[in-house]
Amino acid sequence: MRPGLAVILVGDDPASHVYVRMKGRACEEAGMHSVTMRLDAATSQEELLAQIDVLNADPLIHGILVQMPVPKQIDADAVVRRIRPEKDVDGFHPINVGKVFIGERDGFSPATPAGVLQLLLRSSVDPAGKHCVILGRSNIVGKPMASLLVQNAPGGNATVTVCHSRTPDLAAHAKRADILIVAIGRPKMVTADMVKPGAVVIDVGVNRVDDPNAKKGYSLVGDVDFAGVSKVASKISPVPGGVGPMTIAMLLSNTLRAAERMHA
Ligand code: L34
C-alpha cells in the first residue's frame, strides 16, 4: 500500500506555488503517491467542493489539503469542512481542531506547530515546566501551538502565554519566555532586546522582502532578527531551513498515519 496525498492549489500566489511544488517533491522522495491539482484563480466554490468530493471518495488518496490562502470568491471554512476529517492531514477541520484541543490522540495536529514541537524535542528542549510565549494567534499556528504545549502529554506541560496585536507591551511578555515562538508575519520584528539571555527561539515567519542583489529579486527573512537574537539565544531556528521544511515533513507524517489508519 502506498500512502497518497492530494494537494489542491487555487490561483497564482507565487509563494504557494513554491510550497506546493516542495510538498509534491517531498512525497515522491518518500515513495508516496502524490497528486497536485492546480486550479484557475477564477475557480468557483462549487467547482472546488466538487473536486474535494472526488478526492474524498478516491481510495488511493489518504490525505487532502487545499493550500491557503484561497481566492476571495471561495469560503475557506466551507472548503476545510468539506474534507473528510479522516483525510484532513492539515488538521484544519473543526473535528481535528477539537481533538487536538482536548488531547484526543487520533486527530491530526496541524503540520507547522507539530513541526515546531519536533524541532524542540529533537534538540533536547522539553517544554515541560517551561514558560513558552507564542507571538501570534492564528488558527494555523498560534492557537494550535498553544494547545499542544499546554497538553498534559509528552511535548506539553508548559506554561503558555499567547500574545497578539492587542497585547499591551508585547516585548515585556517576550522577554519572560524560556521558549519564544514567533508567528506574526512581520520581517525581523523580534530583536535582541526582546529576548531573555539563554532562551530558545523558534521563528515561524517566512517573509519575502525585496532584495535587488538577489537573483530572484527577493530574499527570505523570518520574523526574528537572526543576526542580533542569535547572540542572546541559546538555540534559534533559521529561516529558510527551519520550521518550513519541518512543516512539510509533518505533513508527510500525517499522510502516512492517515493511510495506516484507513487500511487498519
Ligand atoms: N493548507 N496552507 C495549508 N497548509 C499548510 O501547511 C500551509 N502552509 C503555510 C501556508 N499555507 C498553507 C505551508 O505549507 C506555510 N507553509 C509553508 C511550507 C513550507 C515552507 C514555508 C511555508 C518552506 O519549506 N519554506 C522554505 C523556503 C521556501 C522558499 O524558498 O520560499 C524554508 O526553508 O523555510
Side-chain angles (χ1 to χ4, degrees):
M1 183 272 291
R2 254 179 122 195
L5 174 68
V7 177
I8 306 179
L9 172 55
V10 189
D12 335 289
D13 182 83
S16 294
H17 275 267
V18 172
Y19 303 152
V20 164
R21 208 179 314 121
M22 292 170 78
K23 290 174 181 182
R25 207 180 305 141
C27 277
E28 282 155 23
E29 280 171 16
M32 293 187 175
H33 172 55
S34 155
V35 176
T36 305
M37 279 182 183
R38 295 182 175 81
L39 304 180
D40 191 86
T43 300
S44 70
Q45 164 112 355
E46 291 65 39
E47 288 170 278
L48 178 54
L49 294 178
Q51 278 302 338
I52 292 172
D53 290 342
V54 171
L55 295 167
N56 274 338
D58 184 340
L60 297 180
I61 296 297
H62 307 97
I64 304 170
L65 79 85
V66 177
Q67 188 73 13
M68 300 293 163
V70 286
K72 42 183 181 317
Q73 75 275 13
I74 291 168
D75 175 355
D77 289 337
V79 166
V80 163
R81 280 161 201 262
R82 190 72 155 234
I83 297 169
R84 277 175 59 193
E86 300 84 358
K87 294 192 178 188
D88 168 42
V89 287
D90 257 337
F92 292 173
H93 191 289
I95 291 273
N96 287 313
V97 175
K99 285 186 173 183
V100 168
F101 198 66
I102 63 178
E104 220 172 279
R105 315 266 290 201
D106 72 335
F108 292 108
S109 300
T112 299
V116 169
L117 211 51
Q118 286 301 319
L119 264 186
L120 291 171
L121 294 172
R122 289 168 190 239
S123 311
S124 309
V125 180
D126 185 352
K130 304 269 168 51
H131 183 196
C132 297
V133 176
I134 300 166
L135 306 186
R137 59 169 156 195
S138 69
N139 287 334
I140 322 194
V141 186
K143 285 185 208 166
M145 191 78 247
S147 88
L148 291 172
L149 289 168
V150 83
Q151 214 60 247
N152 184 358
N157 293 303
T159 303
V160 180
T161 301
V162 182
C163 301
H164 47 77
S165 54
R166 301 287 293 272
T167 301
D169 205 357
L170 190 130
H173 289 286
K175 188 132 199 170
R176 292 176 50 225
D178 303 313
I179 300 173
L180 181 62
I181 299 169
V182 190
I184 295 201
R186 239 188 296 148
K188 300 189 185 184
M189 215 217 63
V190 171
T191 46
D193 55 301
M194 297 166 67
V195 177
K196 180 162 79 178
V200 173
V201 179
I202 304 287
D203 190 349
V204 183
V206 184
N207 307 289
R208 290 183 169 202
V209 297
D210 292 338
D211 181 353
N213 296 321
K215 223 190 319 164
K216 294 176 179 159
Y218 66 87
S219 55
L220 291 178
V221 297
D223 293 351
V224 174
D225 171 28
F226 187 90
V229 172
S230 58
K231 295 197 179 88
V232 290
S234 62
K235 290 186 162 72
I236 180 168
S237 72
V239 176
V243 173
M246 288 305 295
T247 297
I248 293 176
M250 298 315 292
L251 172 65
L252 298 200
S253 168
N254 278 349
T255 303
L256 175 61
R257 267 209 317 138
E260 285 172 342
R261 217 169 305 139
M262 248 168 254
H263 291 270

